[in-house]
Amino acid sequence: MKALELAVPLLLAKSRGATIEIPRSVPNNASEILDRSYLGLAIEGRDFTNYTGSSSAPNRFSVNMFSTFFNITGATTYIRLGGTTTDNFYYDPNQAEAITTVQPELANNERSERRLHAPFTIGKAWLDGLRVLPNVKWDFQIPLARANLSNAVLFCRDSLAAMGDAFNSFEFGNEPDLYNATGPAEGVNDRPDSYGPKDYVQEYNEWTAAIAGNLSLSGPQFQALALSNFAADPWSEETAFNAGLAKEKTKTVSEHYYQSRSGRSLQGTLMNHRETVTQSDRRFKDRIQYMKRAHPDIPFVIGEAAASLGNNSGIPDYDLAASLGTALWTIDWILYTMTLGAKRVNMQLGTRFAFSPWQPIEATIGGRLRPAQTLGSFYGNVFVAELIGREKDLQVAEFGSGDQDVVGYGAYNSGVLSKVALVDLQLWRRSFMTPRPNVTVTLTGLDAQRVRVEKLTGPDGGAQAEEISWAGKQWTAQSEGLPVVVGGGSESVEVRGGSVDVLIQASEALLLSLL
């Protein structure tokens, strides 16, 4: 394991000051009471068995990484299994291999002129991965893009048997708002140019009735929409329900989110609270409010999310998508979505994605062989899990700090403040050749005797996972996904007169627990 590299500036950086006045009771801008399963995960279907292994040979590294979140919160981890690849799956229960690129002849109800974006055939061995992970619930995507209902029914039947009590819902399709857009490389669309929300709703109502009838499912058992990062009018929840989307079949609605794109600025797009708020509000605020007003019994889920989409070069941008800065964005963004009213977020996993919390196996990515490894965003997820914790009736509120780079959030349990998260989003790199800036944050109004301070840190904002630590611990492939102590875990600071001062460096996050 690589030792942590600590930045030692030649000069002492001058500290700025910031003050947060802590509301002792839950403020008006706080979230509703949150489910402790708020932090979920999502797996691209093509990569599923890489993450799980099989019942007889589980991927120990990956299984332990999944279990990290249950070990911290004690709550079930919800996993959305799907994506563009899953949407084009064909299921062959007689195929011996878990997954192949061999395609059968198109069925009569499939469009013969369409070449599949993801030509994978799935065998029963692929479904065995659904039995590997403990303490999870599955939102399992139905392959809609193929337009093969009979095969989808068969796939759902056998997947439901494999999931057993871990089944949560069937998701209907993936990003249907892009079905009439040109597909990758092929230049052939999944649906005609005229395809819109009414067409999706017609398919949704027909397919959910057929699947529910064949599998003897009653009540709302389906996740609808799964709209892309680019969803815009006329694609919305309101349009879908106005078109007659079967409410009695709908358990949740889902949309996707990626804030940046490979090659863009880390400071400008991710380590930028104003940008995070602006984009998230524009993307979700009205849609979530519509659901709460018109269909309050159907939660809104951000079912696939990550820091950034890739680019056409195929070379992952690890600085943007897998650094300490990515982890800090992960904290800021997830906690902010709590205040918007989302039910859950599912952070995306994929073997070839730099933004994935971890890479489960050795794989060639961007022309380079890369080992199984933890990636930077994992540490942001762990931080969020620690803030959620095990206490009941969690509400989260954003606190103003008076400093443009320092973002604060408070966690209230049963109406009482229990934790404060501080994130300094100022990007600092060792290459700047200047002392690392820091801020002394004064918190006032605390009803506690001491606070325990735990730190998410690394030598600079672009540090990769081998140099990042949370509360003095790292999780690595070498440790098979179990935490290893690499430094000091926490510090206890006395509260005097309801006030405490803490020092936070640029490109760092602190979690304060009231004692």
Side-chain angles (χ1 to χ4, degrees):
M1 184 185 306
K2 183 175 179 179
L4 293 182
E5 180 181 352
L6 301 179
V8 183
L10 298 177
L11 299 174
L12 183 64
K14 184 177 180 180
S15 178
R16 309 191 309 276
T19 300
I20 297 177
E21 297 180 6
I22 304 293
R24 293 201 177 187
S25 58
V26 180
N28 293 332
N29 68 334
S31 70
E32 299 173 352
I33 293 176
L34 299 165
D35 193 318
R36 287 187 296 114
S37 294
Y38 188 90
L39 174 61
L41 297 168
I43 308 174
E44 183 67 38
R46 169 196 58 196
D47 302 326
F48 176 52
T49 56
N50 293 340
Y51 276 92
T52 62
S54 64
S55 296
S56 58
N59 183 322
R60 295 293 180 192
F61 166 47
S62 201
V63 170
N64 286 333
M65 294 290 271
F66 280 112
S67 297
T68 300
F69 305 104
F70 174 80
N71 293 340
I72 294 171
T73 68
T76 298
T77 300
Y78 283 77
I79 302 176
R80 179 257 188 169
L81 177 54
T84 302
T85 55
T86 310
D87 212 19
N88 289 275
F89 277 178
Y90 180 84
Y91 177 58
D92 180 359
N94 298 313
Q95 176 177 284
E97 298 89 351
I99 182 169
T100 71
T101 56
V102 176
Q103 284 289 299
E105 292 294 323
L106 291 177
N108 290 333
N109 58 336
E110 293 184 305
R111 295 176 58 230
S112 60
E113 73 273 20
R114 176 171 52 84
R115 293 196 299 273
L116 298 172
H117 297 172
F120 296 108
T121 296
I122 302 304
K124 274 193 172 181
W126 187 88
L127 297 175
D128 184 53
L130 295 165
R131 302 181 177 94
V132 172
L133 302 180
N135 306 308
V136 303
K137 289 279 190 181
W138 297 102
D139 293 304
F140 189 94
Q141 188 199 313
I142 302 165
L144 173 61
R146 300 192 65 105
N148 187 333
L149 174 56
S150 60
N151 191 255
V153 169
L154 183 63
F155 193 33
C156 289
R157 184 201 67 189
D158 287 0
S159 67
L160 184 63
M163 286 184 280
D165 292 340
F167 168 74
N168 183 58
S169 73
F170 284 120
E171 182 179 66
F172 189 68
N174 177 74
E175 301 182 349
D177 53 305
L178 301 183
Y179 279 1
N180 60 3
T182 299
E186 297 91 341
V188 181
N189 300 339
D190 287 322
R191 293 293 189 276
D193 291 344
S194 61
Y195 188 83
K198 290 183 179 179
D199 303 293
Y200 173 83
V201 167
Q202 181 178 350
E203 290 184 295
Y204 180 91
N205 292 347
E206 177 189 353
W207 283 46
T208 55
I211 292 169
N214 277 275
L215 275 61
S216 300
L217 297 175
S218 60
Q221 302 285 0
F222 296 89
Q223 181 159 283
L225 295 177
L227 299 179
S228 81
N229 192 58
F230 309 105
D233 290 339
W235 287 93
S236 70
E237 289 71 24
E238 184 171 6
T239 302
F241 280 105
N242 286 345
L245 188 82
K247 181 177 179 180
E248 70 278 5
K249 292 284 194 300
T250 305
K251 191 170 191 175
T252 49
V253 296
S254 171
E255 298 200 20
H256 300 167
Y257 185 77
Y258 294 85
Q259 183 160 308
S260 190
R261 183 177 288 275
S262 292
R264 292 180 180 172
S265 162
L266 183 57
Q267 179 75 87
T269 62
L270 295 184
M271 296 181 67
N272 185 326
H273 180 64
R274 179 177 295 178
E275 182 74 4
T276 295
V277 169
T278 299
Q279 287 204 43
S280 299
D281 283 357
R282 182 170 59 237
R283 183 72 184 79
F284 297 120
K285 199 166 191 175
D286 290 346
R287 293 166 181 252
I288 291 174
Q289 289 178 354
Y290 163 77
M291 289 302 299
K292 289 186 178 298
R293 180 178 66 253
H295 306 285
D297 53 335
I298 301 177
F300 187 104
V301 173
I302 304 176
E304 176 185 318
S308 65
L309 287 166
N311 56 26
N312 293 331
S313 72
I315 301 175
D317 187 343
Y318 282 84
D319 182 69
L320 182 72
S323 64
L324 175 58
T326 317
L328 299 177
W329 169 82
T330 300
I331 297 167
D332 185 28
W333 181 74
I334 294 178
L335 297 186
Y336 185 70
T337 64
M338 292 177 174
T339 70
L340 285 177
K343 170 70 172 180
R344 183 169 59 253
V345 299
N346 295 86
M347 305 306 291
Q348 182 73 354
L349 293 154
T351 304
R352 298 158 181 82
F353 303 151
F355 56 67
S356 178
W358 69 94
Q359 180 187 320
I361 62 168
E362 182 180 73
T364 299
I365 303 170
R368 174 183 165 188
L369 186 63
R370 301 179 187 269
Q373 59 182 312
T374 303
L375 297 168
S377 65
F378 173 80
Y379 286 94
N381 293 326
V382 171
F383 186 106
V384 170
E386 292 281 6
L387 180 137
I388 292 172
R390 290 175 173 259
E391 297 181 60
K392 295 180 179 179
D393 297 333
L394 171 69
Q395 292 175 271
V396 169
E398 183 184 345
F399 295 150
S401 71
D403 187 290
Q404 65 176 3
D405 293 314
V406 177
V407 183
Y409 293 91
Y412 292 81
N413 291 101
S414 301
V416 178
L417 183 73
S418 58
K419 295 171 185 172
V420 175
L422 299 175
V423 187
D424 191 328
L425 293 168
Q426 181 181 1
L427 177 62
W428 183 80
R429 299 184 189 272
R430 285 166 285 187
S431 61
F432 291 171
M433 300 300 292
T434 59
R436 189 171 187 170
N438 55 67
V439 182
T440 298
V441 182
T442 300
L443 291 88
T444 64
L446 296 175
D447 185 13
Q449 295 181 333
R450 305 187 70 82
V451 295
R452 181 176 67 247
V453 182
E454 297 168 298
K455 184 181 299 185
L456 173 62
T457 192
D460 74 0
Q464 297 294 297
E466 63 266 23
E467 295 184 304
I468 301 172
S469 66
W470 157 247
K473 299 187 292 290
Q474 289 185 322
W475 287 254
T476 69
Q478 291 78 13
S479 69
E480 291 194 324
L482 297 174
V484 175
V485 175
V486 295
S490 65
E491 177 186 5
S492 181
V493 181
E494 184 178 357
V495 177
R496 296 183 179 181
S499 178
V500 68
D501 292 339
V502 294
L503 186 74
I504 184 170
Q505 297 185 107
S507 304
E508 191 171 77
L510 305 179
L511 183 62
L512 283 58
S513 300
L514 278 60
L515 305 174

